[in-house]
Amino acid sequence: MRSEAGATLPLKAAAIGGLLFLHIPLALIVLYAFTTEEKSFQFPPPGLTLRWFGAAWFDRPDIWGPLWLSLQVALLATLIALVLGTLAAAALWRARFFGKDSLSLLFILPIALPGIITGIALRSAFDIMSVPFSTWTIVLGHATFCIVVVYNNALARFRRLSPGMIEASMDLGASGAQTFRYVILPQIGSALLAGGMLAFALSFDEVIVTTFTAGQQATLPIWMLNELIRPRQRPVTNVVALIVIAVTFLPILAAYYLTREGEHTGGAGK
Amino acid sequence: MTASPATPVPRGGLSDFFHRNPGLLTLALLLPPLLWIGIVYIGSLLALLLQSFYSLDEFSGTVVHEFTLTTYGHLFTATNLTIILRTAVMAALVTVASALIAFPIAYYAARYARGGWKALFYLAVMMPLWSSYLVKVYAWKLILAKEGIISWVAEKLHLGWVIDGLLSLPVIGGPSLSFSYIGTFIVFVYIWLPYMILPTQAALERVPKDFVEAAADLGASPSQTFRTVILPLSLPGVVAGSIFTFSLTLGDYIIPQIVGNSRPFIGTTVYALQGTAGDIPLAAAFTVVPVVIMGVYLIIARRLGAFDAL
Amino acid sequence: MTFTKTAITSLAAIAAAAGIAMAQEARTEIGPGEGQVDIVAWPGYIERGETDKNFDWVTGFEKETGCKVNVKTAATSDEMVTLMNQGGFDLVTASGDASLRLVAGRKVQPINIALIKDWDTLDKRLKEAPWHTVDGVHYGVPYQWGPNVLAYNTRVFKDTPKSWSVVFEEQTLPDGKSNKGRVQAFDGPIYVADGALFLMKTRPELGIKNPYELNQAQFDAVIALLKNQRQLVGRYWHDAMVQIDDFKNEGVVASGSWPFQVNLLKADKQPVASTIPEEGATGWADTTMMHANAPHPNCAYMWLNHSLQPKLQGDLAAWFGSVPSVPAACKGNELLTDAGCATNGFENFDKIWFWRTPTAKCGVEGGCVPYSQWDKAFRQVMSQ
């Protein structure tokens, strides 16, 4: 640390400018949750009101179905991604074999190829196999691109894991399950949490792939898409967006601190 | 299973088996995710690819299920090549701009922010990721509109001529920011920026402090240290981020519909082809384009070590 | 397989145009309701008083029948066809450029008009309309119709613009500024018909008799016109709410539009009005059609019956700016007022070229340019 000087002014300005760029639109989303306009927005808003919060809560039962579906889908997709992503990372972490690089490429592919391709490809596959659209078809699509997020986080942590610890555990008589439970999991747990959160976020806000795999059901983003092209209580979409931001604030912060601690223990093996 | 003399401590049968055959362990671990990606994803992609070798009968509008390359002939028309080029250029520009904006943020967060500030930076980058993509895009529509926030602010500051000048530029200009390529570009950069910041910051965090100190001790100026040590080591992170920004721009079909001048991109074209025109073979052939582009991109990215930085 | 279905739909559209009958038995009775009905509709077509509590033709129906109404809005006819191909819906408010495709694709079932008790109250001009009646079989119940009007900003146009040329040809508008970047056009291949209609009157030497039946030479002339228009259009409009924003915040002063947007803009105290220029207008005539595999057929029939109530027809006409399919609705409706039907174009039926799907087989010698070509050419125009 000793030789590091403080940040230069241009750097500070660029960093702060960048963050402002990220947040001014968010401020606007917040502002327009309070506007008195109902159909289309203009700037500055003609007046401010709290009534959309009441309207969202009392008058709009149509919010809850999509919200619940989105939570379900995101949860299921994240769980599948956690299992499969961790397995993939565990397998590829130390293994050395021909074609390993291609395999890692394979896991990255669903997020490296544009979502519309994933969407159309899945839909055409569902059609060919006559799979009817359901919550599971949405989950299938989401889990596919969530795996890579968990995989990457887990792999990064596995790399910092000392192989000696596993050897030691096994030599001391622990079974594979015990070694996983008491040695590996505590080490990679926080990385999985971070990966899982990111996967959850990706799934929760996904609209491109979902359009093709959802059939008649509406996830929250699809509900918003429908709302935004309809002339009714437009600020309610902002209220919902605002509430999502508010509700996720603490979990994000928690995940941050958990992964920080994880890095210290993980780094100790180095 | 009996314990062998070499390993006197008894273990569970399965664990022992895998311990002796690490290759099989790898296989057992790998099989479930591999099957998932292989069947669900690659299988679907192949099904789609197959469709591109069928063709649409011009007169009846039906898909002819016979192997043919005519659809690819239709793909390479001047109109479609323009669409592909337009999308690729947009994706490239968005990627470069994202990298330029993301780097200072990531750099500051990784090297200077400490304690609470660091948490704040993290939150600041993650929050936009969690707030609805659609609501953000519609917010931008209001910001960029002719009678929107930017014009409003510019007018207050007597800077309207700057925007007018910008909009009078050929090609990228237009009647208003939200009716021009500039608008589409800004929104793309905004929406994908966090995907660039996160891997860049992660890569910067991994630059060992010892290296930086060693460089300083050996007499390198801060700027030399930056150019010769930090930048090369963080490059994989930037390249990893660029995979996201490039690919997401390549395939998006919602942003160009809401902000821009209605000129089609690959995403909007594919969406229209499959949804409205019913020309699935051409839609499928069109998707091959971003697959090829991303394939080349990924091969280069792997050379640059980006996969370890994702 | 949806993809194949879409393709079959297009094929069958041609078959239908050639007069091939589709056989599916209509239902013979209405049983007890299934508790819900799922409808694909144009935005603004099915209102439950959420936007404005005076406009509600759903709540009463739900109370009376116990059928909960779920609406999925679609912005274009193509979107409607796609949604119906996916299935899972009971009803769709299909325009003429979707209805025959749906019939031919066997996505909709024949309607037993004996079960529609108010069938006789329908406008005579609509009862046997070719966009929902194939070989004497009715595939739906007429809902509403209306013109694609020219919406304009009254601050810029002190006098009502007389010609569509304000959106097709570069010119100086009454406020002294060019129309470049200040006009819009509909984002959909069907818009080619609007161009054809304009040329039908302004360039008679082309010999266009019907904007949906164009030979190659006529089609090329229309596309040339639209390519020229591309230079004037800042952005094409795709969904109604975005166009409202564009009139409000983006300085758009003239565009082909629906009375719906005009009404909402007027209600918002924006300086906007609409007209049908001297070239006439394209328009839509929508039919409520029932999906071949409708999961809730009884509730669907109940809605079909409900959709012809004069109160609903009148309220909807006032709300959307359209014309009721039941003339009785024109009298005594508070929201529509007695002059409403005339204002919305009740007498203009014969002047409107209703949307329909262009097919290769047509009355023009040498055949016509089919919809797939319209689609390709329009994409080319947009991409310029």
Side-chain angles (χ1 to χ4, degrees), chain C residues 272-340:
Chain C
V272 173
S274 67
T275 179
I276 295 181
E278 60 195 11
E279 292 91 1
T282 58
W284 75 91
D286 295 346
T287 310
T288 315
M289 303 179 116
M290 192 167 154
H291 198 281
N293 305 315
H296 316 102
N298 296 321
C299 276
Y301 260 101
M302 289 177 204
W303 176 266
L304 287 175
N305 269 301
H306 176 69
S307 74
L308 294 184
Q309 297 295 309
K311 173 87 172 93
L312 178 155
Q313 287 279 328
D315 290 356
L316 171 56
W319 172 246
F320 200 82
S322 48
V323 183
S325 60
V326 176
C330 292
K331 287 197 201 78
N333 186 297
E334 263 177 58
L335 298 168
L336 185 61
T337 73
D338 284 359

Side-chain angles (χ1 to χ4, degrees), chain B residues 48 51 56 58-63 65 74 79-80 82-83 86 138 141-142 144-148 175-176 178-179 257-264 269 272-280 282, chain C residues 1 3-4 6-8 10-12 14 76 78-79 82 101 181-182 184 230-231 233-239 242 245-246 248-252 360 370-373 375-376 379-380 382-384:
Chain B
L48 187 65
Q51 310 249 18
L56 192 79
E58 283 292 321
F59 293 100
S60 63
T62 57
V63 176
H65 291 264
H74 293 162
T79 306
N80 291 343
T82 312
I83 293 173
R86 172 184 300 136
Y138 272 81
K141 195 165 136 47
L142 189 64
L144 296 169
K146 189 170 198 144
E147 284 150 51
S176 81
S178 81
F179 277 20
Q257 271 182 21
I258 297 172
V259 177
N261 54 21
S262 290
R263 289 192 169 81
T269 308
L273 280 173
Q274 71 84 35
T276 64
D279 194 345
I280 300 318
L282 189 53
Chain C
M1 215 186 126
F3 289 156
T4 326
T6 321
I8 290 171
S10 333
L11 168 64
I14 287 134
T76 64
D78 297 317
E79 215 175 309
T82 307
R101 276 192 270 170
R182 301 164 76 201
Q184 284 193 325
R230 168 77 256 207
Q231 311 310 318
V233 173
R235 179 164 63 220
Y236 289 75
W237 73 274
H238 185 79
D239 74 63
V242 174
D245 279 353
D246 290 347
K248 219 170 144 176
N249 294 330
E250 297 284 3
V252 171
Y371 190 63
S372 63
Q373 291 299 320
D375 184 62
K376 262 187 203 133
R379 194 160 40 248
Q380 203 184 339
M382 297 258 292
S383 183
Q384 265 204 325

Side-chain angles (χ1 to χ4, degrees), chain A residues 153-213:
Chain A
N153 272 276
L155 194 63
R157 184 60 54 82
F158 269 124
R159 287 208 182 106
R160 280 192 236 139
L161 208 63
S162 152
M165 287 170 78
I166 297 167
E167 294 285 333
S169 160
M170 298 293 261
D171 287 347
L172 290 171
S175 71
Q178 283 171 322
T179 306
F180 179 76
R181 169 72 185 80
Y182 293 106
V183 179
I184 301 177
L185 197 59
Q187 293 282 327
I188 64 165
S190 60
L192 291 187
L193 182 76
M197 294 240 346
L198 204 56
F200 193 94
L202 273 182
S203 165
F204 196 73
D205 195 29
E206 215 292 330
V207 62
I208 305 260
V209 177
T210 319
T211 315
F212 293 95
T213 57

Side-chain angles (χ1 to χ4, degrees), chain C residues 137-211:
Chain C
V137 181
H138 295 283
Y139 284 91
V141 176
Y143 194 45
Q144 296 260 309
W145 61 274
N148 293 316
V149 295
L150 173 63
Y152 61 94
N153 185 311
T154 52
R155 285 208 194 115
V156 173
F157 295 91
K158 300 294 179 208
D159 303 315
T160 308
K162 290 198 169 52
S163 167
W164 283 106
S165 71
V166 294
V167 296
F168 282 117
E169 291 167 345
E170 182 158 9
Q171 56 188 266
T172 307
L173 298 178
D175 67 349
K177 284 187 267 180
S178 165
N179 59 349
K180 198 170 178 190
R182 301 164 76 201
V183 297
Q184 284 193 325
F186 183 61
D187 168 12
I190 202 71
Y191 188 72
V192 172
D194 287 66
L197 183 67
F198 178 69
L199 291 187
M200 192 161 120
K201 296 285 152 53
T202 53
R203 285 182 59 192
E205 74 276 11
L206 285 169
I208 298 174
K209 296 275 178 290
N210 179 332

Side-chain angles (χ1 to χ4, degrees), chain A residues 37-42 59-60 120 123-124 127-128 215-216 222 226 228-234, chain C residues 1-3 43 50-51 71-73 83 86-89 239 241 244-245 248-249 260 264 267-268 270:
Chain A
E37 296 159 295
E38 179 159 22
K39 284 158 193 160
S40 71
F41 298 155
Q42 60 186 28
D59 307 343
R60 300 298 298 273
I120 296 195
R123 159 160 270 179
S124 67
D127 280 338
I128 290 170
Q216 256 46 280
I222 303 248
N226 289 336
L228 289 167
I229 59 171
R230 285 172 67 179
R232 58 191 277 215
Q233 302 189 333
R234 187 134 151 203
Chain C
M1 215 186 126
T2 311
F3 289 156
E50 277 165 335
T51 314
V71 180
K72 165 93 182 160
T73 54
L83 284 170
Q86 284 169 21
F89 295 101
D239 74 63
M241 288 313 292
I244 289 175
D245 279 353
K248 219 170 144 176
N249 294 330
F260 176 61
L264 280 176
D268 212 10
Q270 298 293 313

Side-chain angles (χ1 to χ4, degrees), chain B residues 57-248:
Chain B
D57 186 276
E58 283 292 321
F59 293 100
S60 63
T62 57
V63 176
V64 181
H65 291 264
E66 274 171 31
F67 183 85
T68 169
L69 289 172
T70 50
T71 305
Y72 283 94
H74 293 162
L75 177 64
F76 297 111
T77 60
T79 306
N80 291 343
L81 290 177
T82 312
I83 293 173
I84 293 167
L85 185 69
R86 172 184 300 136
T87 314
V89 169
M90 178 63 86
L93 290 176
V94 166
T95 300
V96 171
S98 302
L100 289 179
I101 299 175
F103 201 87
I105 301 177
Y107 190 71
Y108 191 92
R111 303 202 62 84
Y112 297 107
R114 291 285 170 267
W117 278 105
K118 192 148 193 156
L120 193 74
F121 259 85
Y122 181 79
L123 257 180
V125 175
M126 288 300 279
M127 291 286 282
L129 259 190
W130 277 85
S131 28
S132 168
Y133 156 89
L134 288 163
V135 177
K136 281 185 292 185
V137 175
Y138 272 81
W140 270 104
K141 195 165 136 47
L142 189 64
I143 297 175
L144 296 169
K146 189 170 198 144
E147 284 150 51
I149 293 168
I150 290 185
S151 312
W152 189 81
V153 172
E155 208 168 296
K156 296 275 169 202
L157 299 175
H158 303 288
L159 288 172
W161 54 273
V162 177
I163 294 173
D164 290 341
L166 205 59
L167 288 173
S168 64
L169 293 174
V171 185
I172 62 167
S176 81
L177 283 173
S178 81
F179 277 20
S180 67
Y181 283 135
I182 302 175
T184 322
F185 168 78
I186 293 176
V187 179
F188 271 135
V189 171
Y190 172 79
I191 298 286
W192 311 137
L193 189 58
Y195 294 92
M196 179 63 93
I197 299 176
L198 290 173
T200 306
Q201 185 182 343
L204 282 165
E205 303 259 11
R206 280 199 289 267
V207 175
K209 293 227 166 55
D210 321 356
F211 283 27
V212 181
E213 284 172 17
D217 290 348
L218 292 171
S221 72
S223 76
Q224 273 177 317
T225 311
F226 179 77
R227 269 184 292 118
T228 54
V229 179
I230 298 173
L231 201 58
L233 284 173
S234 64
L235 192 66
V238 178
V239 176
S242 78
I243 295 176
F244 290 112
T245 54
F246 196 83
S247 137
L248 290 167

